[in-house]
Amino acid sequence: MRSVAKMLNEAGWTVHGLLLPGFGPEMPRIADYTPQDWINATAEKTRELRRTYRMRVLVGYSMGGAVSINAARLERPDQLVLISPFWRLGGSWQNRIWPVLRLIFRPLQTVPSRRFQ
């Protein structure tokens, strides 16, 4: 998404990236979050940006597309751009696999990070 953000910024847009809960430095705790947490965080950021900007365009790629569609139901952006959207979160197969993913991700919390030299 950085390349998309850079291109939009170079075209004169102000761009805000959102690090979803459980990603980045919180990755070892990703299993503590649900798709609804990501949707709520996106809707809240969209709401916050309304106070500063006249127009808000929500751009979502892959899973971010599903998050964006659902967040747009809570807080409507002026435009919605979906790039290769994974259009659905919380479907029956995702609900069945989530407990398994929790088992996989939880042990990663105890694995010390190693730097390659």
Side-chain angles (χ1 to χ4, degrees):
M1 288 302 294
R2 286 183 206 272
S3 60
V4 172
K6 184 177 183 208
M7 179 190 67
L8 289 170
N9 185 255
E10 289 172 354
W13 290 83
T14 300
V15 179
H16 292 266
L18 176 63
L19 184 61
L20 295 174
F23 287 83
E26 290 187 329
M27 199 65 173
R29 292 187 42 232
I30 195 168
D32 295 339
Y33 296 96
T34 67
Q36 192 61 50
D37 294 320
W38 304 329
I39 293 163
N40 292 341
T42 303
E44 177 58 34
K45 185 63 173 183
T46 306
R47 189 175 303 115
E48 175 189 316
L49 292 173
R50 180 177 292 285
R51 294 188 287 267
T52 306
Y53 300 98
R54 170 180 70 79
M55 180 178 222
R56 297 157 309 132
V57 178
L58 184 57
V59 180
Y61 171 71
S62 189
M63 183 194 79
V67 171
S68 296
I69 289 170
N70 286 280
R73 291 177 22 196
L74 300 175
E75 183 65 33
R76 290 184 63 110
D78 298 292
Q79 303 261 335
L80 181 61
V81 177
L82 306 175
I83 304 168
S84 190
F86 184 80
W87 61 275
R88 187 170 162 192
L89 291 172
S92 61
W93 73 269
Q94 290 126 340
N95 289 335
R96 286 192 298 269
I97 199 168
W98 195 248
V100 175
L101 291 176
R102 286 180 185 263
L103 294 173
I104 294 167
F105 280 109
R106 285 209 190 273
L108 293 178
Q109 293 177 17
T110 59
V111 175
S113 63
R114 295 184 185 160
R115 287 200 145 137
F116 294 102
Q117 298 181 14

